[in-house]
Amino acid sequence: MSGSNPELGMLNYKQDWRSVVFVIVCLGLILLPYRIDIPASYTPVWLMLAGLFCFCACIINHNHVHTATFQQAALNRLFGVLLTLAKGHTSAGVILAHNYNHHVYNGKSNDWIRPELAGNGPGIIRLIRFIINSVVSMTRGKREQVDKVLPVEVVRQMRLERIALFTFIVFLVVLDMRTFLMFVLIPWMTGVLLLIGVNLLQHDKCEPDSAYNHSRNFTSKLGNWFFFNNGYHTAHHMYPGLHWSELPDLHHRKVVPFIDKRLDKKSIMSFMIKNYTL
């Protein structure tokens, strides 16, 4: 854990200052339209940027539920609430589907977001089908297991986040329904759809039973800076408790020598365009 820095007094890892800044920027992008008028010509760019930062908030939340961002429990609970408001669904709500299911079964038949949910057909149709089926599968699975698996403190945190999110939504809707639908709801939906869709790209046509070939990696330095090393997915599944800042080094040392080279890609965009378009 070379990146840890107890002397900071707040963060477990100094690199997570970027995580905190990104969440603040995300909240700013979805709330600023309540204070300033966004010209119609700028609206598509604003929505795209807000959606990308909501996606980043989803990734930051993913990292947070694996390795807590702060040293103090109270700060982690507060950060969970902020992440909830930034991405539009509870921070702790992903723990059951991700930590307790996906990381346990990783593409196998019991995985609620297994690649086979995409079915057959053209790439874009498979991607859309995967997103829809994954949402249904996760909703069904969480409904059946939430009270049986999750620790009491996680359930309490989830309840706190639900109250905060409900209050936040009511306040914003009362303030201005149109602004909420355009500049909050659309980025929220964009972020979560991107998060689910990327999971297919990371596991589609991989080998769930393989020690190394169970995930696909995307190694672009720019993409991994912006998306917090989420591209180093094999290393993450091998060591899910490892902080995101340490994944590139682990990938080069313990993954590259053994993985099928076809599962190491540079750009996620070029891979998606090539394999998931009509």
Side-chain angles (χ1 to χ4, degrees):
M1 294 177 26
S2 57
S4 60
N5 191 348
E7 295 180 0
L8 286 173
M10 293 176 57
L11 296 170
N12 275 320
Y13 287 78
K14 60 185 179 182
Q15 292 90 340
D16 272 318
W17 279 114
R18 181 160 25 119
S19 304
V20 175
V21 170
F22 267 54
V23 171
I24 293 172
V25 171
C26 179
L27 287 168
L29 285 169
I30 64 176
L31 292 177
L32 268 176
Y34 280 91
R35 299 288 297 177
I36 61 175
D37 290 328
I38 308 298
S41 59
Y42 293 163
T43 296
V45 175
W46 189 282
L47 291 176
M48 182 178 68
L49 192 60
L52 281 175
F53 269 88
C54 285
F55 176 49
C56 289
C58 291
I59 295 173
I60 293 166
N61 184 73
H62 162 268
N63 297 336
H64 177 67
V65 299
H66 278 292
T67 305
T69 304
F70 294 92
Q71 294 186 19
Q72 293 83 4
L75 288 177
N76 284 316
R77 288 194 292 269
L78 174 60
F79 195 52
V81 172
L82 292 178
L83 283 164
T84 296
L85 305 185
K87 63 195 186 71
H89 54 286
T90 60
S91 169
V94 307
I95 293 176
L96 181 58
H98 186 75
N99 299 46
Y100 285 77
N101 181 266
H102 177 60
H103 270 273
V104 174
Y105 300 110
N106 191 16
K108 299 176 183 176
S109 59
N110 289 332
D111 186 355
W112 298 339
I113 51 173
R114 58 197 178 274
E116 70 177 44
L117 294 175
N120 301 313
I124 188 64
I125 301 301
R126 295 184 65 245
L127 183 58
I128 294 172
R129 187 187 296 123
F130 174 79
I131 292 172
I132 295 171
N133 288 342
S134 292
V135 170
V136 173
S137 177
M138 285 188 289
T139 301
R140 183 185 299 118
K142 288 193 288 187
R143 187 188 304 118
E144 294 172 353
Q145 296 190 24
V146 64
D147 294 324
K148 301 177 183 178
V149 177
L150 291 177
V152 173
E153 59 270 19
V154 174
V155 175
R156 288 174 179 168
Q157 176 68 18
M158 196 158 44
R159 288 171 182 165
L160 170 65
E161 292 165 358
R162 283 173 178 167
I163 293 171
L165 182 61
F166 177 78
T167 305
F168 188 61
I169 291 173
V170 170
F171 175 75
L172 293 182
V173 167
V174 171
L175 202 60
D176 190 324
M177 167 75 84
R178 180 185 176 279
T179 300
F180 172 77
L181 294 176
M182 176 69 73
F183 292 102
V184 182
L185 187 60
I186 290 178
W188 276 355
M189 292 179 64
T190 300
V192 72
L193 292 178
L194 286 173
L195 183 71
I196 297 172
V198 163
N199 189 83
L200 179 63
L201 275 59
Q202 291 171 326
H203 293 284
D204 198 16
K205 300 178 182 178
C206 294
E207 304 171 30
D209 294 314
S210 170
Y212 297 96
N213 298 331
H214 50 71
S215 303
R216 183 175 289 103
N217 303 282
F218 301 98
T219 60
S220 163
K221 288 185 178 180
L222 178 61
N224 279 296
W225 184 91
F226 200 79
F227 299 121
F228 299 85
N229 291 334
N230 191 254
Y232 298 103
H233 210 61
T234 301
H236 170 63
H237 269 274
M238 291 171 64
Y239 300 92
L242 193 69
H243 190 260
W244 60 267
S245 63
E246 300 189 55
L247 292 175
D249 177 65
L250 184 72
H251 174 80
H252 291 296
R253 288 190 296 107
K254 295 193 175 182
V255 176
V256 171
F258 308 103
I259 194 171
D260 185 330
K261 300 303 182 285
R262 292 172 296 180
L263 296 178
D264 248 8
K265 301 292 184 181
K266 185 73 174 177
S267 168
I268 190 171
M269 284 300 297
S270 63
F271 178 79
M272 183 179 70
I273 291 171
K274 182 178 180 179
N275 294 279
Y276 297 93
T277 62
L278 289 173

